[in-house]
Amino acid sequence: MEYVTLGRTGLRVSVAGLGCGGNSRIGMGTGKTPAESLALLRQALELGVNFFDTAADYGTETLIGEAIKSVPRDRVVIATKASIHRSGEPIPVARVVESLDRSLRQLDTDYIDVFQLHVVPPLVYDYALSEIAPVLLREKEKGKFRHLGITETSPNDHEQHMLQRAVHDGVWETVMLGFNMMHQNARTKVFPHTMANGIGTILMFVVRNIFSQHGRLEAKMKELAEAGQVPRWLAETDNPLGFLLHASGASSLTDAAYRFVRHEPGVHVVLFGTSNAGHLQANIESLLRPPLPEADRQKLTEWFGHLLGVGLELPNHSGAGAGTPRRSPNR
Ligand SMILES: NC(=O)c1ccc[n+]([C@@H]2O[C@H](COP(=O)([O-])OP(=O)(O)OC[C@H]3O[C@@H](n4cnc5c(N)ncnc54)[C@H](OP(=O)(O)O)[C@@H]3O)[C@@H](O)[C@H]2O)c1
């Protein structure tokens, strides 16, 4: 495993972080037993993963709490989250503190390493900054958590308006954001500021549905070609990103997806979500491989660098309309 420093938190974190939400919820989202989910968590620990991302809403905190009992507490970095709104309506601050306390109990730990506000849309950002953050910082002083972070609602904020404000407000030590081969907005809009301000970055939506589920990419390419957003030939082939797969390039689409983001300047942790032991091993291997060949990386940047919001779907959302804004919170 390789480890990096998560911005000014100073935490040493594995570049591969296990996302315990998303479609898979470490197996809880795909019909696996709790024992199987626990085995996945232990496999991740054995392979050197020390960063685990969860949330009050995921239902995976208790399993993580159980899994980390096998290692000294300071060997793992636990990030969890509380919701601060429901469909844009603010949740009272007292409920958010209750959520923090519940997470501590469910994780069965004395402190949380990174406590994050979950899926914050631009319209709720003022509330997060002026009402929620001051109260949480008092909870931080009591020792309940070490670092405060914020996560975007990628499907509802393609241009990352919320984060473009948050990166300038000194209170957030980490941000979680969507970035992938066909949604590269953060390169110019977010990462220059996180790097300048020492903010730790945690990536999500790197693979999600579009790069893991058969037919999704092809359908999306047709939609984008019809809209004149990508070269037409990309819609006329069965394997639009097949040019990435060759002897000195990527071994699969998911391999390409994780390697593309991992080496982007400004990226610290790349989250991967899975319910499958083979995928867990493969994804870690991908994240530890060298960057994609420069010629392939350049094509991805040239052809897709202008796209916004591709691949930002809710868990197992059906249909190809990945760029369509949605109102409900995402995981
Ligand atoms: N705003 C927020 O706070 C927010 C929103 C979304 C996500 N997140 C966090 O980000 C994490 C990562 O997002 P994500 O779960 O969507 O992860 P992801 O890595 O982008 O995609 C995971 C999906 O790809 C599949 N997959 C993974 N590895 C694969 C492989 N090697 N080959 C084929 N398919 C593969 C998984 O299915 P299998 O189970 O079959 O592997 C799953 O359906 C979440 O778990 C969560 O912690 C946070």
Side-chain angles (χ1 to χ4, degrees), residues 58 77 80 110 148 205 233 307:
Y58 294 170
V77 174
T80 191
D110 296 335
L148 186 59
F205 289 99
W233 71 265
L307 298 175

Side-chain angles (χ1 to χ4, degrees), residues 19 21 23-24 53 152 207-208 258 274-275 279 283 330-331:
N23 296 333
S24 309
D53 176 67
E152 68 174 8
V207 163
R208 200 62 163 199
Y258 287 120
T274 191
S275 54
H279 291 172
N283 295 345
N330 57 293
R331 287 182 179 142

Side-chain angles (χ1 to χ4, degrees), residues 18-24 30 53-54 58 81 118-119 151-154 176 203-209 211-213 254 258 271-276 278-280 282-283 316 330-331:
L18 185 59
C20 302
N23 296 333
S24 309
T30 58
D53 176 67
T54 182
Y58 294 170
K81 321 184 187 81
H118 201 175
V119 296
T151 81
E152 68 174 8
T153 170
S154 312
M176 185 179 293
L203 295 195
M204 57 183 168
F205 289 99
V206 173
V207 163
R208 200 62 163 199
N209 299 340
F211 301 123
S212 70
Q213 292 176 15
T254 51
Y258 287 120
L271 291 180
F272 66 95
T274 191
S275 54
N276 177 301
H279 291 172
L280 186 143
N283 295 345
N316 285 328
N330 57 293
R331 287 182 179 142

Side-chain angles (χ1 to χ4, degrees), residues 147-223:
H147 305 282
L148 186 59
I150 192 163
T151 81
E152 68 174 8
T153 170
S154 312
N156 302 302
D157 186 11
H158 295 170
E159 294 184 46
Q160 304 181 302
H161 290 301
M162 186 283 288
L163 286 181
Q164 290 186 53
R165 289 187 59 192
V167 291
H168 299 292
D169 293 323
V171 68
W172 317 113
E173 291 175 86
T174 67
V175 296
M176 185 179 293
L177 68 158
F179 184 72
N180 69 44
M181 293 191 287
M182 296 177 70
H183 173 64
Q184 305 174 24
N185 188 57
R187 179 176 301 123
T188 52
K189 297 291 182 357
V190 180
F191 295 138
H193 307 288
T194 55
M195 285 190 279
N197 298 331
I199 298 172
T201 60
I202 305 155
L203 295 195
M204 57 183 168
F205 289 99
V206 173
V207 163
R208 200 62 163 199
N209 299 340
I210 193 165
F211 301 123
S212 70
Q213 292 176 15
H214 187 69
R216 295 289 188 124
L217 178 64
E218 295 75 2
K220 189 67 193 172
M221 282 298 184
K222 286 190 174 47
E223 197 186 294

